[in-house]
PDB file of all heavy atoms in Angstrom:
ATOM      1  N   PHE A 489      -3.337   8.615  -2.489  1.00 97.00           N
ATOM      2  CA  PHE A 489      -3.836   9.593  -1.525  1.00 97.00           C
ATOM      3  C   PHE A 489      -3.930  10.997  -2.118  1.00 97.00           C
ATOM      4  O   PHE A 489      -4.762  11.786  -1.701  1.00 97.00           O
ATOM      5  CB  PHE A 489      -2.961   9.584  -0.266  1.00 97.00           C
ATOM      6  CG  PHE A 489      -2.957   8.240   0.405  1.00 97.00           C
ATOM      7  CD1 PHE A 489      -1.877   7.385   0.258  1.00 97.00           C
ATOM      8  CD2 PHE A 489      -4.039   7.807   1.146  1.00 97.00           C
ATOM      9  CE1 PHE A 489      -1.868   6.138   0.863  1.00 97.00           C
ATOM     10  CE2 PHE A 489      -4.052   6.560   1.751  1.00 97.00           C
ATOM     11  CZ  PHE A 489      -2.965   5.718   1.603  1.00 97.00           C
ATOM     12  N   ASN A 490      -3.082  11.310  -3.083  1.00 96.00           N
ATOM     13  CA  ASN A 490      -3.199  12.588  -3.792  1.00 96.00           C
ATOM     14  C   ASN A 490      -4.338  12.551  -4.799  1.00 96.00           C
ATOM     15  O   ASN A 490      -4.967  13.566  -5.068  1.00 96.00           O
ATOM     16  CB  ASN A 490      -1.892  12.942  -4.501  1.00 96.00           C
ATOM     17  CG  ASN A 490      -0.807  13.338  -3.531  1.00 96.00           C
ATOM     18  OD1 ASN A 490      -1.082  13.862  -2.455  1.00 96.00           O
ATOM     19  ND2 ASN A 490       0.427  13.067  -3.894  1.00 96.00           N
ATOM     20  N   SER A 491      -4.584  11.384  -5.354  1.00 96.00           N
ATOM     21  CA  SER A 491      -5.638  11.242  -6.373  1.00 96.00           C
ATOM     22  C   SER A 491      -7.037  11.233  -5.769  1.00 96.00           C
ATOM     23  O   SER A 491      -7.990  11.686  -6.403  1.00 96.00           O
ATOM     24  CB  SER A 491      -5.431   9.949  -7.166  1.00 96.00           C
ATOM     25  OG  SER A 491      -4.197   9.957  -7.836  1.00 96.00           O
ATOM     26  N   PHE A 492      -7.164  10.697  -4.556  1.00 96.00           N
ATOM     27  CA  PHE A 492      -8.484  10.523  -3.929  1.00 96.00           C
ATOM     28  C   PHE A 492      -8.436  11.088  -2.510  1.00 96.00           C
ATOM     29  O   PHE A 492      -7.957  10.447  -1.584  1.00 96.00           O
ATOM     30  CB  PHE A 492      -8.882   9.047  -3.952  1.00 96.00           C
ATOM     31  CG  PHE A 492      -8.855   8.487  -5.342  1.00 96.00           C
ATOM     32  CD1 PHE A 492      -7.816   7.677  -5.754  1.00 96.00           C
ATOM     33  CD2 PHE A 492      -9.838   8.824  -6.257  1.00 96.00           C
ATOM     34  CE1 PHE A 492      -7.766   7.185  -7.056  1.00 96.00           C
ATOM     35  CE2 PHE A 492      -9.797   8.348  -7.556  1.00 96.00           C
ATOM     36  CZ  PHE A 492      -8.765   7.518  -7.965  1.00 96.00           C
ATOM     37  N   ARG A 493      -8.959  12.291  -2.350  1.00 93.00           N
ATOM     38  CA  ARG A 493      -8.798  13.060  -1.108  1.00 93.00           C
ATOM     39  C   ARG A 493      -9.464  12.455   0.115  1.00 93.00           C
ATOM     40  O   ARG A 493      -9.096  12.776   1.244  1.00 93.00           O
ATOM     41  CB  ARG A 493      -9.269  14.495  -1.315  1.00 93.00           C
ATOM     42  CG  ARG A 493     -10.725  14.613  -1.670  1.00 93.00           C
ATOM     43  CD  ARG A 493     -11.083  16.057  -2.011  1.00 93.00           C
ATOM     44  NE  ARG A 493     -12.434  16.106  -2.539  1.00 93.00           N
ATOM     45  CZ  ARG A 493     -13.469  16.549  -1.862  1.00 93.00           C
ATOM     46  NH1 ARG A 493     -13.295  16.997  -0.640  1.00 93.00           N
ATOM     47  NH2 ARG A 493     -14.662  16.559  -2.404  1.00 93.00           N
ATOM     48  N   ASN A 494     -10.454  11.580  -0.063  1.00 95.00           N
ATOM     49  CA  ASN A 494     -11.124  10.979   1.092  1.00 95.00           C
ATOM     50  C   ASN A 494     -10.435   9.707   1.586  1.00 95.00           C
ATOM     51  O   ASN A 494     -10.790   9.187   2.633  1.00 95.00           O
ATOM     52  CB  ASN A 494     -12.589  10.665   0.764  1.00 95.00           C
ATOM     53  CG  ASN A 494     -13.385  11.928   0.526  1.00 95.00           C
ATOM     54  OD1 ASN A 494     -13.177  12.936   1.190  1.00 95.00           O
ATOM     55  ND2 ASN A 494     -14.285  11.892  -0.430  1.00 95.00           N
ATOM     56  N   ALA A 495      -9.486   9.220   0.826  1.00 96.00           N
ATOM     57  CA  ALA A 495      -8.763   8.001   1.207  1.00 96.00           C
ATOM     58  C   ALA A 495      -7.793   8.324   2.337  1.00 96.00           C
ATOM     59  O   ALA A 495      -7.128   9.356   2.324  1.00 96.00           O
ATOM     60  CB  ALA A 495      -8.013   7.448   0.009  1.00 96.00           C
ATOM     61  N   GLU A 496      -7.728   7.435   3.321  1.00 96.00           N
ATOM     62  CA  GLU A 496      -6.861   7.669   4.469  1.00 96.00           C
ATOM     63  C   GLU A 496      -5.825   6.567   4.684  1.00 96.00           C
ATOM     64  O   GLU A 496      -4.708   6.832   5.075  1.00 96.00           O
ATOM     65  CB  GLU A 496      -7.704   7.798   5.736  1.00 96.00           C
ATOM     66  CG  GLU A 496      -8.643   8.987   5.701  1.00 96.00           C
ATOM     67  CD  GLU A 496      -9.616   8.995   6.863  1.00 96.00           C
ATOM     68  OE1 GLU A 496      -9.420   8.226   7.826  1.00 96.00           O
ATOM     69  OE2 GLU A 496     -10.576   9.782   6.799  1.00 96.00           O
ATOM     70  N   THR A 497      -6.223   5.310   4.433  1.00 97.00           N
ATOM     71  CA  THR A 497      -5.355   4.175   4.740  1.00 97.00           C
ATOM     72  C   THR A 497      -5.525   3.089   3.681  1.00 97.00           C
ATOM     73  O   THR A 497      -6.624   2.869   3.185  1.00 97.00           O
ATOM     74  CB  THR A 497      -5.720   3.571   6.118  1.00 97.00           C
ATOM     75  OG1 THR A 497      -5.667   4.595   7.098  1.00 97.00           O
ATOM     76  CG2 THR A 497      -4.786   2.448   6.505  1.00 97.00           C
ATOM     77  N   LEU A 498      -4.438   2.410   3.357  1.00 97.00           N
ATOM     78  CA  LEU A 498      -4.484   1.223   2.498  1.00 97.00           C
ATOM     79  C   LEU A 498      -3.805   0.071   3.234  1.00 97.00           C
ATOM     80  O   LEU A 498      -2.692   0.219   3.743  1.00 97.00           O
ATOM     81  CB  LEU A 498      -3.731   1.447   1.185  1.00 97.00           C
ATOM     82  CG  LEU A 498      -4.459   2.089   0.029  1.00 97.00           C
ATOM     83  CD1 LEU A 498      -3.508   2.279  -1.152  1.00 97.00           C
ATOM     84  CD2 LEU A 498      -5.679   1.312  -0.388  1.00 97.00           C
ATOM     85  N   ASP A 499      -4.490  -1.057   3.278  1.00 98.00           N
ATOM     86  CA  ASP A 499      -3.878  -2.296   3.753  1.00 98.00           C
ATOM     87  C   ASP A 499      -3.236  -2.939   2.528  1.00 98.00           C
ATOM     88  O   ASP A 499      -3.932  -3.248   1.559  1.00 98.00           O
ATOM     89  CB  ASP A 499      -4.936  -3.222   4.355  1.00 98.00           C
ATOM     90  CG  ASP A 499      -5.546  -2.622   5.611  1.00 98.00           C
ATOM     91  OD1 ASP A 499      -4.799  -2.035   6.415  1.00 98.00           O
ATOM     92  OD2 ASP A 499      -6.769  -2.737   5.781  1.00 98.00           O
ATOM     93  N   VAL A 500      -1.935  -3.106   2.559  1.00 98.00           N
ATOM     94  CA  VAL A 500      -1.173  -3.555   1.391  1.00 98.00           C
ATOM     95  C   VAL A 500      -0.622  -4.956   1.642  1.00 98.00           C
ATOM     96  O   VAL A 500       0.000  -5.212   2.673  1.00 98.00           O
ATOM     97  CB  VAL A 500      -0.009  -2.573   1.097  1.00 98.00           C
ATOM     98  CG1 VAL A 500       0.820  -3.055  -0.089  1.00 98.00           C
ATOM     99  CG2 VAL A 500      -0.545  -1.173   0.840  1.00 98.00           C
ATOM    100  N   ASN A 501      -0.856  -5.849   0.676  1.00 97.00           N
ATOM    101  CA  ASN A 501      -0.301  -7.207   0.687  1.00 97.00           C
ATOM    102  C   ASN A 501       0.530  -7.366  -0.571  1.00 97.00           C
ATOM    103  O   ASN A 501       0.042  -7.111  -1.675  1.00 97.00           O
ATOM    104  CB  ASN A 501      -1.420  -8.255   0.664  1.00 97.00           C
ATOM    105  CG  ASN A 501      -2.290  -8.165   1.886  1.00 97.00           C
ATOM    106  OD1 ASN A 501      -1.840  -8.395   2.994  1.00 97.00           O
ATOM    107  ND2 ASN A 501      -3.555  -7.812   1.688  1.00 97.00           N
ATOM    108  N   ILE A 502       1.781  -7.788  -0.406  1.00 97.00           N
ATOM    109  CA  ILE A 502       2.663  -7.972  -1.557  1.00 97.00           C
ATOM    110  C   ILE A 502       3.244  -9.375  -1.503  1.00 97.00           C
ATOM    111  O   ILE A 502       3.780  -9.807  -0.481  1.00 97.00           O
ATOM    112  CB  ILE A 502       3.787  -6.926  -1.577  1.00 97.00           C
ATOM    113  CG1 ILE A 502       3.165  -5.526  -1.663  1.00 97.00           C
ATOM    114  CG2 ILE A 502       4.741  -7.181  -2.741  1.00 97.00           C
ATOM    115  CD1 ILE A 502       4.136  -4.393  -1.662  1.00 97.00           C
ATOM    116  N   VAL A 503       3.125 -10.087  -2.633  1.00 96.00           N
ATOM    117  CA  VAL A 503       3.676 -11.429  -2.762  1.00 96.00           C
ATOM    118  C   VAL A 503       4.737 -11.385  -3.854  1.00 96.00           C
ATOM    119  O   VAL A 503       4.469 -10.950  -4.973  1.00 96.00           O
ATOM    120  CB  VAL A 503       2.581 -12.456  -3.148  1.00 96.00           C
ATOM    121  CG1 VAL A 503       3.188 -13.827  -3.374  1.00 96.00           C
ATOM    122  CG2 VAL A 503       1.500 -12.515  -2.079  1.00 96.00           C
ATOM    123  N   GLY A 504       5.943 -11.805  -3.494  1.00 95.00           N
ATOM    124  CA  GLY A 504       7.037 -11.840  -4.451  1.00 95.00           C
ATOM    125  C   GLY A 504       7.664 -13.214  -4.485  1.00 95.00           C
ATOM    126  O   GLY A 504       7.206 -14.135  -3.804  1.00 95.00           O
ATOM    127  N   PRO A 505       8.730 -13.371  -5.267  1.00 92.00           N
ATOM    128  CA  PRO A 505       9.374 -14.675  -5.410  1.00 92.00           C
ATOM    129  C   PRO A 505       9.925 -15.249  -4.104  1.00 92.00           C
ATOM    130  O   PRO A 505       9.961 -16.462  -3.928  1.00 92.00           O
ATOM    131  CB  PRO A 505      10.509 -14.415  -6.391  1.00 92.00           C
ATOM    132  CG  PRO A 505      10.206 -13.133  -7.050  1.00 92.00           C
ATOM    133  CD  PRO A 505       9.336 -12.359  -6.119  1.00 92.00           C
ATOM    134  N   LYS A 506      10.358 -14.384  -3.168  1.00 92.00           N
ATOM    135  CA  LYS A 506      10.985 -14.883  -1.936  1.00 92.00           C
ATOM    136  C   LYS A 506      10.137 -14.719  -0.685  1.00 92.00           C
ATOM    137  O   LYS A 506      10.395 -15.385   0.311  1.00 92.00           O
ATOM    138  CB  LYS A 506      12.323 -14.174  -1.711  1.00 92.00           C
ATOM    139  CG  LYS A 506      13.387 -14.601  -2.683  1.00 92.00           C
ATOM    140  CD  LYS A 506      14.720 -14.049  -2.269  1.00 92.00           C
ATOM    141  CE  LYS A 506      15.798 -14.533  -3.215  1.00 92.00           C
ATOM    142  NZ  LYS A 506      17.092 -13.960  -2.915  1.00 92.00           N
ATOM    143  N   SER A 507       9.174 -13.812  -0.706  1.00 93.00           N
ATOM    144  CA  SER A 507       8.399 -13.607   0.514  1.00 93.00           C
ATOM    145  C   SER A 507       7.079 -12.908   0.242  1.00 93.00           C
ATOM    146  O   SER A 507       6.826 -12.436  -0.863  1.00 93.00           O
ATOM    147  CB  SER A 507       9.210 -12.800   1.542  1.00 93.00           C
ATOM    148  OG  SER A 507       9.333 -11.458   1.122  1.00 93.00           O
ATOM    149  N   GLN A 508       6.298 -12.851   1.289  1.00 95.00           N
ATOM    150  CA  GLN A 508       5.036 -12.130   1.274  1.00 95.00           C
ATOM    151  C   GLN A 508       5.092 -11.147   2.437  1.00 95.00           C
ATOM    152  O   GLN A 508       5.512 -11.508   3.538  1.00 95.00           O
ATOM    153  CB  GLN A 508       3.876 -13.097   1.456  1.00 95.00           C
ATOM    154  CG  GLN A 508       2.534 -12.406   1.524  1.00 95.00           C
ATOM    155  CD  GLN A 508       1.373 -13.384   1.601  1.00 95.00           C
ATOM    156  OE1 GLN A 508       1.525 -14.557   1.308  1.00 95.00           O
ATOM    157  NE2 GLN A 508       0.232 -12.896   1.993  1.00 95.00           N
ATOM    158  N   LYS A 509       4.682  -9.908   2.186  1.00 95.00           N
ATOM    159  CA  LYS A 509       4.726  -8.891   3.235  1.00 95.00           C
ATOM    160  C   LYS A 509       3.417  -8.130   3.280  1.00 95.00           C
ATOM    161  O   LYS A 509       2.734  -7.975   2.272  1.00 95.00           O
ATOM    162  CB  LYS A 509       5.872  -7.906   2.994  1.00 95.00           C
ATOM    163  CG  LYS A 509       7.242  -8.514   3.164  1.00 95.00           C
ATOM    164  CD  LYS A 509       8.321  -7.456   3.115  1.00 95.00           C
ATOM    165  CE  LYS A 509       9.681  -8.081   3.364  1.00 95.00           C
ATOM    166  NZ  LYS A 509      10.734  -7.079   3.443  1.00 95.00           N
ATOM    167  N   LYS A 510       3.113  -7.637   4.486  1.00 96.00           N
ATOM    168  CA  LYS A 510       1.934  -6.802   4.695  1.00 96.00           C
ATOM    169  C   LYS A 510       2.400  -5.445   5.205  1.00 96.00           C
ATOM    170  O   LYS A 510       3.343  -5.358   5.989  1.00 96.00           O
ATOM    171  CB  LYS A 510       0.994  -7.431   5.723  1.00 96.00           C
ATOM    172  CG  LYS A 510       0.335  -8.677   5.233  1.00 96.00           C
ATOM    173  CD  LYS A 510      -0.654  -9.189   6.252  1.00 96.00           C
ATOM    174  CE  LYS A 510      -1.319 -10.429   5.676  1.00 96.00           C
ATOM    175  NZ  LYS A 510      -2.609 -10.667   6.276  1.00 96.00           N
ATOM    176  N   PHE A 511       1.697  -4.416   4.751  1.00 97.00           N
ATOM    177  CA  PHE A 511       2.005  -3.054   5.161  1.00 97.00           C
ATOM    178  C   PHE A 511       0.702  -2.300   5.389  1.00 97.00           C
ATOM    179  O   PHE A 511      -0.343  -2.690   4.880  1.00 97.00           O
ATOM    180  CB  PHE A 511       2.777  -2.304   4.063  1.00 97.00           C
ATOM    181  CG  PHE A 511       4.058  -2.949   3.635  1.00 97.00           C
ATOM    182  CD1 PHE A 511       4.071  -3.869   2.595  1.00 97.00           C
ATOM    183  CD2 PHE A 511       5.250  -2.616   4.251  1.00 97.00           C
ATOM    184  CE1 PHE A 511       5.251  -4.458   2.185  1.00 97.00           C
ATOM    185  CE2 PHE A 511       6.438  -3.201   3.846  1.00 97.00           C
ATOM    186  CZ  PHE A 511       6.442  -4.125   2.804  1.00 97.00           C
ATOM    187  N   GLU A 512       0.811  -1.210   6.088  1.00 97.00           N
ATOM    188  CA  GLU A 512      -0.287  -0.255   6.184  1.00 97.00           C
ATOM    189  C   GLU A 512       0.285   1.086   5.756  1.00 97.00           C
ATOM    190  O   GLU A 512       1.250   1.567   6.356  1.00 97.00           O
ATOM    191  CB  GLU A 512      -0.829  -0.185   7.608  1.00 97.00           C
ATOM    192  CG  GLU A 512      -2.002   0.771   7.737  1.00 97.00           C
ATOM    193  CD  GLU A 512      -2.539   0.850   9.142  1.00 97.00           C
ATOM    194  OE1 GLU A 512      -1.973   1.636   9.946  1.00 97.00           O
ATOM    195  OE2 GLU A 512      -3.501   0.125   9.441  1.00 97.00           O
ATOM    196  N   VAL A 513      -0.273   1.662   4.702  1.00 97.00           N
ATOM    197  CA  VAL A 513       0.181   2.972   4.251  1.00 97.00           C
ATOM    198  C   VAL A 513      -0.921   3.989   4.515  1.00 97.00           C
ATOM    199  O   VAL A 513      -2.102   3.666   4.488  1.00 97.00           O
ATOM    200  CB  VAL A 513       0.610   2.974   2.762  1.00 97.00           C
ATOM    201  CG1 VAL A 513       1.857   2.145   2.557  1.00 97.00           C
ATOM    202  CG2 VAL A 513      -0.491   2.506   1.851  1.00 97.00           C
TER     203      VAL A 513
END
């Protein structure tokens, strides 16, 4: 968000060894 001033939201998906999580930043 500091690098790209027009960006407002990221839908984040993370997959790890024990779980998968979704976030909105």
Side-chain angles (χ1 to χ4, degrees):
F489 300 102
N490 289 331
S491 299
F492 304 104
R493 62 186 172 105
N494 294 323
E496 297 172 13
T497 305
L498 274 177
D499 295 319
V500 178
N501 297 296
I502 300 179
V503 176
K506 289 189 177 176
S507 71
Q508 177 176 344
K509 292 188 177 185
K510 291 184 178 204
F511 303 90
E512 182 180 84
V513 293

